[in-house]
Amino acid sequence: MNKKLSNSKNQFLLDVIKSVVTPTYGCTEIGIVALVSSVAAEHLPHEVVSATLYVSTYIYRNDANVGVPNMGQVGIEAIATAGFLVKHSNKKLAVLEGITKPQVTKAIQMAKNGMVKVVVEKYVNPVFVKIIAKDRKGNVCDVAIEGKHDRIRYVHLNKKLVIDNQLVKNRVVKFKYNVAEISLHDICESVSHMSIKDLEFLIEGITMNDEILKAGIKKTHKQIIAMSDKNTDGWESVVLDDLTASIAARMEGCPLPVMASNDSGDHGLTISVPQFAYNHVMKTTKLKMLQSIGLAHLLCWKIKKNIGSLSAYCGSIVAAVTSSICGIAYQRGNTEHQINDLINLCICSFAGAICDGAKLSCAWKIGASYLSAFGALRIVEKNGKLPHNEGIVSKDAFRTINDLGMISQTVRDVTNSVIVDVVSKTIRNR
């Protein structure tokens, strides 16, 4: 018989959900580049005239082709120059939310004039951005973010330390448990006892993500959303239509914020939009829907902690789609054992999915993966499952996740460096 969870572990898991759910504006990696440049501009006494931007391969990959809200597909240099102009670091990852048309025009022109030089660093922390900016009077400001997307590590002005957050860890849950100590039973058991009052903070994210969904439905790519017409029906069709529309809108640069999960707006959409769509069609209870979202956030946290916040793997597929379909399984009354087998089926299918950057085709990739996830759900609901201990799949799905993480950490930098080289070549050949 499974042991009842302690109050401290229940509270820990609730606090994890709260810690991984954050609003963001545009692709998360857009925010991190705009944030460092905004901080630098705020500390310099005069207008910035030149800068060198150092970014990890992971940041470069996700900013190279993505649509920026109110700017379009402009490239990483223009994202940095836009940050110099708006100077709203207090908004953190939503720093570009209030950018004006004149600022957009000026930022793009500044980028075209070569104001920002970009240096891609291949063997650094995946979440790494540093900018060295100079103003028209020769003052120099050096700002770095590392480890967490919105955590300023330091600010130097003319080589003098202004801010030092080397030991600060924002939004880290400080309890005696770590990710390795959390089992699938812990998550399922804890979520089942969470109340509407516990989880009502998630409603803000549902509302926020529903707005970008509405925008996506008005303007979406028929080639992407039409995949559901021939392959799904009923609630599956609604889930797939809504998910692909919301992801497409965000990747094109829709000027609306989204509620992210585990440092990714696409993760947040992939987790919450299907739960809300299923609830709307199948009329499940509000509490069941909120619990399903909480469970999906926790599963995504578990997977991302193993494969890495930024990885050579596509986190939106490997982590978010896997977690999201498990949320729907929870709404449908699937057992813990079925959810275990569902995770294994998904990871068996998704373990080879690479990330080649944030862009419109992410909607296609995520949607196509969700089609596979629907199939996996049908299998477990007929009591089907993978044979134990085949390839990387273990009987215990969390052991499978751990082993997937070992693979990811081993090949992470080399694989991603090759991906970035190919992406860069593609951009040059446009």
Side-chain angles (χ1 to χ4, degrees), residues 281-300:
V281 175
M282 302 304 291
K283 309 301 180 186
T284 56
T285 67
K286 179 180 179 181
L287 175 59
K288 198 73 171 179
M289 177 190 67
L290 291 175
Q291 289 174 336
S292 73
I293 295 174
L295 178 136
H297 281 307
L298 287 171
L299 289 178
C300 190

Side-chain angles (χ1 to χ4, degrees), residues 344 347 392-405:
N344 272 335
I347 290 180
I392 66 169
V393 176
S394 300
K395 181 178 180 180
D396 180 351
F398 274 26
R399 175 63 184 271
T400 304
I401 291 170
N402 179 70
D403 291 343
L404 181 71

Side-chain angles (χ1 to χ4, degrees), residues 30-331:
I30 292 172
I32 190 173
V33 169
L35 179 57
V36 291
S37 60
S38 183
V39 171
E42 288 168 358
H43 281 84
L44 288 166
H46 304 285
E47 183 179 1
V48 178
V49 294
S50 65
T52 301
L53 177 70
Y54 300 85
V55 295
S56 73
T57 54
Y58 302 87
I59 302 298
Y60 178 82
R61 174 192 71 189
N62 284 343
D63 280 349
N65 292 299
V66 72
V68 182
N70 293 318
M71 294 184 71
Q73 190 179 22
V74 294
I76 194 168
E77 295 87 354
I79 294 170
T81 54
F84 292 140
L85 297 176
V86 296
K87 294 191 282 189
H88 284 308
S89 66
N90 60 303
K91 293 185 177 181
K92 296 194 173 182
L93 298 181
V95 63
L96 295 182
E97 187 173 9
I99 193 169
T100 64
K101 288 184 178 180
Q103 287 174 330
V104 170
T105 301
K106 185 174 180 179
I108 292 173
Q109 189 58 53
M110 289 162 66
K112 287 181 178 178
N113 291 341
M115 178 177 170
V116 177
K117 176 185 177 183
V118 177
V119 177
V120 180
E121 301 279 10
K122 289 192 173 183
Y123 299 102
V124 294
N125 190 303
V127 182
F128 173 79
V129 176
K130 182 176 82 168
I131 198 159
I132 300 175
K134 181 184 292 186
D135 71 13
R136 58 184 175 83
K137 293 290 187 177
N139 297 293
V140 177
C141 188
D142 178 2
V143 183
I145 290 177
E146 187 174 8
K148 269 293 192 184
H149 283 69
D150 60 356
R151 185 173 77 209
I152 302 294
R153 295 301 298 271
Y154 63 77
V155 177
H156 292 99
L157 180 59
N158 295 326
K159 298 185 179 180
K160 292 183 179 180
L161 187 64
V162 178
I163 295 174
D164 182 7
N165 285 335
Q166 295 289 342
L167 300 179
V168 174
K169 296 183 178 180
N170 297 341
R171 295 188 291 107
V172 173
V173 182
K174 295 181 179 179
F175 279 87
K176 62 182 179 180
Y177 306 103
N178 61 47
V179 67
E181 296 175 283
I182 302 302
S183 68
L184 178 59
H185 173 71
D186 291 340
I187 291 175
C188 292
E189 180 71 12
S190 181
V191 165
S192 71
H193 289 94
M194 291 180 186
S195 65
I196 289 180
K197 184 177 180 180
D198 291 329
L199 298 169
E200 61 185 355
F201 67 92
L202 293 173
I203 296 173
E204 179 188 1
I206 295 170
T207 303
M208 189 179 291
N209 292 350
D210 189 50
E211 288 302 310
I212 201 167
L213 162 62
K214 291 174 183 176
I217 290 173
K218 289 180 181 178
K219 180 188 177 183
T220 192
H221 286 247
K222 293 181 179 180
Q223 300 95 322
I224 293 174
I225 204 169
M227 74 169 78
S228 63
D229 294 340
K230 297 181 180 179
N231 295 287
T232 60
D233 54 28
W235 67 264
E236 291 183 355
S237 179
V238 176
V239 165
L240 197 60
D241 283 358
D242 286 2
L243 178 58
T244 53
S246 62
I247 298 291
R250 182 169 184 267
M251 291 293 94
E252 282 192 302
C254 179
L256 289 171
V258 301
M259 190 62 74
S261 177
N262 293 274
D263 295 322
S264 168
D266 279 5
H267 292 12
L269 291 171
T270 302
I271 284 172
S272 70
V273 170
Q275 310 310 318
F276 180 71
Y278 183 85
N279 164 265
H280 181 73
V281 175
M282 302 304 291
K283 309 301 180 186
T284 56
T285 67
K286 179 180 179 181
L287 175 59
K288 198 73 171 179
M289 177 190 67
L290 291 175
Q291 289 174 336
S292 73
I293 295 174
L295 178 136
H297 281 307
L298 287 171
L299 289 178
C300 190
W301 166 76
K302 177 76 176 185
I303 297 173
K304 290 298 291 287
K305 282 292 186 181
N306 278 273
I307 68 172
S309 177
L310 289 172
S311 167
Y313 283 125
C314 176
S316 291
I317 294 174
V318 177
V321 172
T322 298
S323 303
S324 182
I325 196 66
C326 288
I328 288 180
Y330 182 85
Q331 285 204 68

